[in-house]
Amino acid sequence: MIFTVTSPRRLLEAAGLTPQSPEAGASHGPIFELAEKHGWDTDLYRADDLLGEGVYDPEPVSEFEACVATLAEGLHACRVYLSDESATRALYGDPFYQGREGFPAHMALREQLIALEVISDDL
């Protein structure tokens, strides 16, 4: 699950049950545990790559952060920049882009920044 916001009640309703359904407690115990801990109507956030697989948390999580965590999963070299300035600073200051191994990534980011007219093509 990349990102969702739900409540224990909505999880149970998705299974076609209500908290009062006689078979609900036996067949959907984890949902009842969530309801006991947080309440039936509390918004719970799930973002597996950010919080852990199957974890529902009442602390708000942004959809953007959840998506970035999913994109970066397993990619130790994944970089996401939220502004032109941070991308430019990284181009010249992040050790990842320096040296022989980082040269292709450096050039790719440089070309993107030139195409966006953030920096000029000064070579």
Side-chain angles (χ1 to χ4, degrees), residues 67-92:
C67 290
V68 168
T70 296
L71 288 172
E73 181 64 24
L75 301 175
H76 72 282
C78 179
R79 303 288 196 271
V80 176
Y81 301 107
L82 302 181
S83 70
D84 295 343
E85 294 78 23
S86 65
T88 303
R89 280 193 306 274
L91 179 67
Y92 300 112

Side-chain angles (χ1 to χ4, degrees), residues 2-5 45 47 50 60-70:
I2 294 174
F3 177 81
T4 192
V5 181
Y45 296 80
L50 192 60
V61 170
S62 83
E63 187 171 3
F64 177 76
E65 289 177 70
C67 290
V68 168
T70 296

Side-chain angles (χ1 to χ4, degrees), residues 26-49:
S27 62
H28 292 79
I31 295 175
F32 276 78
E33 290 173 19
L34 285 172
E36 201 172 290
K37 186 174 181 180
H38 303 290
W40 280 105
D41 297 308
T42 301
D43 279 342
L44 300 175
Y45 296 80
R46 181 173 170 187
D48 288 0
D49 292 319

